[in-house]
Amino acid sequence: MSEQTAQEGTAPERRVVVVGAGMAGVQTAVALREQGFRGDVTIIGAEPHQPYDRPPLSKAVLLGKAEGSAFEVDFESLGVELRLGCEVYGARPAEHELDTETGPVPYDVLVVATGAEPVRLPGTEGVPGVHLLRTLDDAERLRPVLARQHDIVVVGAGWIGAEFATAAREAGCAVTVVEAAGHPLAGALPAEVAAPMAAWYAEAGVELRTHARVERVEPGEVVLADGTRLPAGAVVVGIGARPATGWLAGSGIELGAHGEVLTDDRLCTSAPDVYAVGDCASFPSARYGERLLVHHWDNALQGPRTVAANILGETPAVYDPVPYFWSEQFGRFVQYAGHHTAADRLLWRGDPAGPSWTVCWLRENRLVALLAVGRPRDLAQGRRLIEAGRQMDPQALTDPARPLKNATA
């Protein structure tokens, strides 16, 4: 008997509790209702705010062009209960219960969607003027800092560092970015691909210091390991994020080396009736032959549909997406699709010194990933080619005037 049939009969309706009120948690609730789930659905969120989208925080919200980014979801009409401003301290899968600050919460099915939390710069806890940018409260604390046009030091030249530096320059601040590695986006892209992006900083009037390690932060200054002192009315730390799963310690739910929840290809965890989705979970990809931990918006949008389908159980679904993300920085629209670590060949489409270009990664002449700067058509066509596993003609692929879809073998 299917889950839906059971619900329509005499079996009691199951209660789904979602921990995490970000994109992954909200979309899980929405997908459950869209797919016909009739049981109780509760979302528990640690923040007191109405659930909101995060990408605008480093753009419109930070610059005061928008007051917030709440999801346009009518939770009441969906029959979804929100418990906001509620910390979850632990899970007891054997008892099908959560421990929260307001007492135990029972569940029939649990969905872990607690996302990721920013990595803090050691030694900066409690130092005035040091900021992170992950939450709505973070953005609201930083907005007046930009308005006062402080000298700002950004620690980390990753995606969030570049986006914040872009906003700070737009607000008229003097910005210095310090990066321990030799090039921007060191954790995400190989040096030869990221190297051209270093010039974007200078073009925007941002000083980029690579091979620069922070020794300590003092009031009004950042001191580097080589003794350099950088004036800093504010310091923004963007050195990465890790899964927000500390509350699962002792639960028996299996975690990976990075603290992420380990799921199978249906996003089921090691505990019965427990799923995990979004930034806090890794999943095995048959497409790429390895386990993926994807900290991006699109993953938090797509995964919940798989979770909902598997909770209902009528048509079990496997999750194996082509990862996708985008970034707006220094006047450029950067998009990435796929997963390039197992590629055996890298090819360029266009001049990386120019305003628009694409990098393609191949494995056995099949497109496995691409990075597109100002070439959204390449991204859209390339994503479909990756999904289809099409063989490519490498020579045709390097011609930027030729549509990617016409560069197949």
Side-chain angles (χ1 to χ4, degrees), residues 6-359:
Q7 289 180 15
E8 291 169 353
T10 58
E13 294 178 346
R14 292 194 297 170
R15 180 187 187 188
V16 176
V17 175
V18 181
V19 181
M23 171 64 82
V26 167
Q27 288 300 319
T28 296
V30 170
L32 281 166
R33 292 301 188 222
E34 287 179 345
Q35 295 181 31
F37 182 76
R38 297 182 183 179
D40 292 340
V41 179
T42 300
I43 297 175
I44 302 177
E47 294 184 57
H49 308 291
Q50 192 74 5
Y52 61 87
D53 203 6
R54 293 188 189 278
L57 297 184
S58 60
K59 305 172 185 71
V61 175
L62 188 60
L63 291 170
K65 297 177 181 179
E67 287 303 311
S69 55
F71 293 116
E72 295 182 1
V73 175
D74 188 338
F75 295 98
E76 185 175 355
S77 68
L78 280 177
V80 173
E81 178 190 4
L82 290 180
R83 293 192 185 182
L84 303 176
C86 180
E87 288 279 356
V88 178
Y89 296 131
R92 290 177 282 116
E95 291 82 20
H96 279 60
E97 272 193 341
L98 295 171
D99 293 317
T100 78
E101 61 181 344
T102 58
V105 174
Y107 66 83
D108 295 306
V109 178
L110 172 64
V111 180
V112 178
T114 41
E117 56 193 5
V119 176
R120 296 180 180 272
L121 187 65
T124 60
E125 292 81 357
V127 177
V130 178
H131 300 265
L132 300 167
L133 181 52
R134 181 73 183 181
T135 68
L136 179 59
D137 289 341
D138 292 337
E140 290 179 346
R141 280 190 291 267
L142 277 164
R143 192 156 55 185
V145 172
L146 297 193
R148 290 193 292 269
Q149 298 186 338
H150 280 299
D151 288 342
I152 294 176
V153 173
V154 179
V155 182
W159 300 111
I160 193 67
E163 290 181 4
F164 178 82
T166 300
R169 283 299 296 144
E170 186 174 335
C173 301
V175 182
T176 301
V177 178
V178 295
E179 169 58 50
H183 57 87
L185 297 167
L189 297 173
E192 63 183 305
V193 175
M197 300 177 177
W200 302 354
Y201 288 75
E203 290 173 12
V206 175
E207 181 182 3
L208 172 64
R209 288 175 173 257
T210 56
H211 300 292
R213 292 189 177 275
V214 175
E215 179 70 26
R216 64 186 181 276
V217 178
E218 298 178 351
E221 284 188 326
V222 172
V223 183
L224 301 182
D226 65 3
T228 302
R229 290 178 173 267
L230 303 174
V235 178
V236 177
V237 178
I239 55 175
R242 57 184 163 224
T245 56
W247 63 282
L248 291 172
S251 68
I253 295 173
E254 189 177 0
L255 304 180
H258 303 286
E260 79 279 15
V261 181
L262 298 178
T263 75
D264 64 12
D265 61 2
R266 297 183 180 182
L267 300 179
C268 302
T269 74
S270 61
D273 302 316
V274 180
Y275 296 81
V277 65
D279 290 7
C280 67
S282 70
F283 55 90
S285 169
R287 184 190 310 276
Y288 291 106
E290 61 183 283
R291 181 170 286 275
L292 301 183
L293 174 59
V294 181
H295 282 186
H296 292 296
W297 185 90
D298 191 66
N299 180 50
L301 175 68
Q302 304 294 340
R305 298 169 190 164
T306 298
V307 170
N310 289 323
I311 289 173
L312 268 79
E314 292 186 327
T315 308
V318 168
Y319 190 58
D320 195 7
V322 173
Y324 166 75
F325 70 89
W326 80 97
S327 176
E328 295 176 78
Q329 51 184 268
F330 308 120
R332 293 165 173 84
F333 187 43
V334 183
Q335 296 172 282
Y336 177 96
H339 183 66
H340 67 265
T341 58
D344 55 32
R345 194 171 185 184
L346 183 155
L347 297 171
W348 294 81
R349 285 170 58 82
D351 181 1
S356 62
W357 44 273
T358 297
V359 174

